[in-house]
Amino acid sequence: MTATLRSPYAFPAGGRASSRRVAGRLPGEWPGVFLAGGRATRENAGVIVDSAIYREGRRTECTTDFSHALEEARAEGHSFLWLGMYEPTEEEFARVRSEFALHPLAVEDALKAHQRPKLEVYDDSLFMVLKPVTYDDQADTVTASELMVFVGDAFVVTVRHGEASPLAAVRHRLEEHPEILRHGPGAVLYAVSDAVVDHYIEVAAELQLDLEELEAEVFAPVRGRDTRNTAAEIYAFKREVLEFRRATGPLAEPMARLQNPGVPFVHAHARPFFRDVDDHLTRANESVEGLDRLLSDILSAHLAQMGVRQNDDMRKISAWAALAAVPTLIAGVYGMNFDTMPELKWDLGYPVILGVMIIIEVSLYRLFKRRGWL
């Protein structure tokens, strides 16, 4: 592999994979399979998105006789078959499982999905699970899909669940760089992993922008904001970060294994490139950890602000209650029906008592104002 391996695998601008594929219908034994914009549509069966043999890195079309195509690729020694599928059922995947001699446990994981990112080594193949993610700008949500990759001596089988997938872009860009495809199935595994992980960094950057907006909203000096909605936004954001972490965190162990000797179907020259993917994954995981910590800090700060505001409101209520209590007390005393109260017959009693009330009220108001209670 050459040092220019990085550029062909990155996501295009905006983080959206290109869906450029050859339209048409596959002949033979797979009715209802259409290739439309890189996305499979079903009519009875119909799960094969793309299939081709790569000879010396150059694409050549193949029929649905996968057994013959695989034997041909193995006989040539410098070719491999790449088959892409979209959400196959057990019946639809049965022939592929038989032709490629895939391990039953790996097949079960590929069909049921809902797997953690992992790497399994079997006698005749590698099985890797990746979780591509997409970020919705409108809803500010993170959605994870699943991508399973089978790698053998002369074949690659990819199975995807969900819409978030870099496969169309990866295949297209690899086909523009046949010198990379000459390195065989291991190069495809690297390319797919690199595209998925690079997109993690882009999604992390989008989430960082959302976090800054949420932080500004929480600490904005605006009165009367609905604190319940703010707390709900923070919790919703934490769930998005958790969804993201489920995709990035478990992938660290498979990436570490792919850097070490002893993993079949991965050439020694490919290990430094998997190390580069692991470096990017580490950056993504650090970003996720940072987002989670900051969200916890923002939530704590928000709850503390709510407590401070409640205390401030209680002080104001107490101050106004004290201001109201003084005239109420004096008026209550002189409102008692006693005949022998000394001030009742005094001509200046009413204006004096009224003046005393005003002096006390003004004094209390200035005191509370100076202490910040009003």
Side-chain angles (χ1 to χ4, degrees), residues 45-316:
V47 294
I48 299 181
V49 178
D50 202 354
S51 62
I53 296 178
Y54 294 90
R55 295 181 171 88
E56 291 290 343
R58 301 290 181 180
R59 177 189 176 105
T60 58
E61 302 300 329
C62 69
T63 65
T64 55
D65 187 359
F66 301 131
S67 178
H68 175 73
L70 184 58
E71 290 177 0
E72 185 178 353
R74 283 171 172 163
E76 293 173 355
H78 50 74
S79 304
F80 68 93
L81 174 64
W82 184 355
L83 177 67
M85 306 187 73
Y86 176 70
E87 295 185 358
T89 64
E90 184 174 356
E91 294 76 15
E92 294 164 343
F93 201 66
R95 181 170 173 236
V96 175
R97 176 186 61 191
S98 174
E99 296 289 355
F100 292 91
L102 303 178
H103 196 279
L105 293 177
V107 170
E108 181 181 2
D109 289 344
L111 292 176
K112 292 184 177 179
H114 304 293
Q115 304 295 317
R116 298 174 73 250
K118 63 180 180 178
L119 175 67
E120 300 287 351
V121 180
Y122 299 103
D123 293 337
D124 300 322
S125 63
L126 289 178
F127 175 67
M128 189 167 184
V129 179
L130 299 161
K131 294 181 76 71
V133 296
T134 54
Y135 176 80
D136 188 343
D137 292 322
Q138 302 299 323
D140 292 335
T141 57
V142 174
T143 304
S145 300
E146 293 189 45
L147 176 59
M148 288 74 172
V149 184
F150 294 88
V151 176
D153 57 342
F155 69 85
V156 176
V157 177
T158 53
V159 180
R160 69 181 179 93
H161 296 262
E163 296 302 321
S165 173
L167 288 179
V170 170
R171 189 188 286 258
H172 175 62
R173 295 184 181 208
L174 280 173
E175 289 172 359
E176 294 179 345
H177 296 79
E179 70 279 2
I180 298 172
L181 278 173
R182 290 193 187 100
H183 293 282
V188 176
L189 180 61
Y190 160 71
V192 173
S193 303
D194 185 59
V196 170
V197 171
D198 279 353
H199 196 50
Y200 287 163
I201 297 176
E202 296 179 13
V203 173
E206 294 286 349
L207 290 176
Q208 182 65 41
L209 293 177
D210 287 346
L211 179 64
E212 292 173 359
E213 293 177 1
L214 181 60
E215 189 175 22
E217 178 183 347
V218 168
F219 293 104
V222 177
R223 301 294 181 180
R225 183 175 59 237
D226 191 344
T227 56
R228 292 174 300 176
N229 289 343
T230 302
E233 288 178 15
I234 297 174
Y235 276 113
F237 203 149
K238 284 185 72 69
R239 291 188 64 86
E240 299 301 325
V241 173
L242 177 61
E243 182 74 13
F244 193 18
R245 175 183 279 179
R246 288 173 178 166
T248 63
L251 190 58
E253 190 270 339
M255 284 295 107
R257 291 179 61 188
L258 288 170
Q259 302 173 45
N260 299 324
V263 179
F265 314 115
V266 177
H267 196 275
H269 294 295
R271 292 176 198 142
F273 296 99
F274 282 108
R275 189 177 305 119
D276 181 65
V277 177
D278 186 55
D279 289 341
H280 288 197
L281 180 62
T282 300
R283 287 175 51 196
N285 279 324
E286 289 175 350
S287 297
V288 173
E289 292 292 336
L291 288 169
D292 188 62
R293 287 195 301 269
L294 285 173
L295 278 172
S296 297
D297 293 342
I298 291 174
L299 180 59
S300 299
H302 175 64
L303 295 177
Q305 281 186 333
M306 290 178 61
V308 170
R309 289 170 185 164
Q310 288 176 350
N311 290 336
D312 187 48
D313 292 340
M314 288 301 298
R315 285 198 302 266
K316 290 181 178 180

